[in-house]
Amino acid sequence: MTLHFEDGSTVAYHFRSEAQLVRGRSREETYRASEIRPGIFFVDFIAVDRRASTISLVLDPERGICTAIEARLPTEAEAEVPLTERIRQGAELTGVKAKFLRGAIDVPFKRVTGRHAETGELIGKRIEYTYSRAERYEHLYLNEQFYTWHCLAGAEQGLADTDRCHYLRIADRLYLFVWREKIVPTLGAVIVDLERMKTTGKIFGYRGYDFGAVTNFPVGARARLVSVS
């Protein structure tokens, strides 16, 4: 398929197998894909031709639309800039970058093309996510730009923070939620399904404190709506 994005760019994707694709004319990538709901797919891979970067795709062939998230982790020097200096500069508190591109599948993007739009439907909700028998978190979706996470059980039990986030509506009660952490440079991208009460996605970051090695691993959780304000 060829993705035609709203900025005028196009990228061809040839899915050669369940794990290998060709991006553009010759760039070979190893990817993971999940069918979130019938006909809606989440595709994710490390972009090996770019420094510390991943590309995630939400493909919606029945509607003929897609969304791409291009993520990049900060360099060591960027990550070491103090929060007070970022505030002084008027910069974002996190050095993790995320670029969102909406597109059309196999046809040019036009003004009338549908898109996965920004949404406030998660705002005000408090949801508990169980990743395993040992790992459990809760999210409080505060406003259009920020959410609070709190570890209820697991390795980070008792820790909490408020970080930058983004919300897109994919379908009825189905959302793309992306967050960018500021203390440990990390990006998460998950599909939150409030109909099936589950999530599917990935977390991207550096391996330990080695700024030369990245990790990009799949995650999923069972969801429980705790409250709505």
Side-chain angles (χ1 to χ4, degrees):
M1 60 179 63
T2 299
L3 308 184
H4 300 254
F5 293 108
E6 57 189 335
D7 66 352
S9 63
T10 63
V11 182
Y13 283 91
H14 177 203
F15 295 90
R16 300 200 313 186
S17 70
E18 292 183 356
Q20 300 295 319
L21 63 79
V22 176
R23 173 168 57 97
R25 293 186 176 182
S26 60
R27 177 63 59 187
E28 295 187 3
E29 310 281 10
T30 299
Y31 76 95
R32 287 189 300 265
S34 300
E35 188 171 18
I36 306 302
R37 283 187 186 171
I40 300 177
F41 302 89
F42 180 79
V43 177
D44 182 70
F45 58 90
I46 295 174
V48 295
D49 59 330
R50 307 176 188 180
R51 190 202 66 80
S53 298
T54 62
I55 295 176
S56 303
L57 305 172
V58 180
L59 302 176
D60 195 344
E62 291 189 8
R63 296 176 62 194
I65 62 175
C66 64
T67 295
I69 309 99
E70 300 177 359
R72 183 182 70 82
L73 300 178
T75 64
E76 185 172 3
E78 290 171 336
E80 289 179 348
V81 175
L83 294 181
T84 52
E85 178 62 20
R86 289 185 174 277
I87 293 171
R88 188 187 70 80
Q89 295 174 357
E92 289 191 309
L93 295 183
T94 177
V96 180
K97 303 298 183 184
K99 180 180 180 180
F100 293 80
L101 288 173
R102 278 75 156 194
I105 300 175
D106 289 332
V107 295
F109 188 92
K110 300 179 181 179
R111 290 179 60 185
V112 296
T113 300
R115 63 187 67 195
H116 299 137
E118 295 179 354
T119 181
E121 292 179 12
L122 284 177
I123 294 172
K125 291 181 171 60
R126 179 181 178 185
I127 302 178
E128 181 182 293
Y129 295 105
T130 300
Y131 293 88
S132 69
R133 293 181 179 179
E135 299 285 336
R136 189 160 46 90
Y137 287 75
E138 64 177 351
H139 288 181
L140 288 79
Y141 302 110
L142 303 175
N143 56 36
E144 291 83 359
Q145 298 190 54
F146 293 99
Y147 87 113
T148 293
W149 60 266
H150 174 213
C151 182
L152 301 171
E156 296 184 318
Q157 183 172 1
L159 296 183
D161 205 350
T162 297
D163 284 310
R164 184 73 167 89
C165 67
H166 313 263
Y167 317 84
L168 295 182
R169 186 182 189 275
I170 306 303
D172 185 36
R173 295 174 60 80
L174 188 71
Y175 310 95
L176 170 65
F177 176 64
V178 176
W179 72 90
R180 297 184 282 139
E181 297 187 20
K182 61 184 177 294
I183 303 300
V184 178
T186 304
L187 179 138
V190 298
I191 305 291
V192 179
D193 189 338
L194 292 187
E195 184 175 288
R196 300 184 178 184
M197 298 307 291
K198 60 179 290 188
T199 69
T200 303
K202 67 81 165 285
I203 293 178
F204 175 49
Y206 286 113
R207 185 173 292 118
Y209 293 95
D210 181 357
F211 283 82
V214 299
T215 179
N216 187 52
F217 58 91
V219 294
R222 296 294 180 184
R224 183 176 71 88
L225 180 63
V226 178
S227 63
V228 179
S229 61

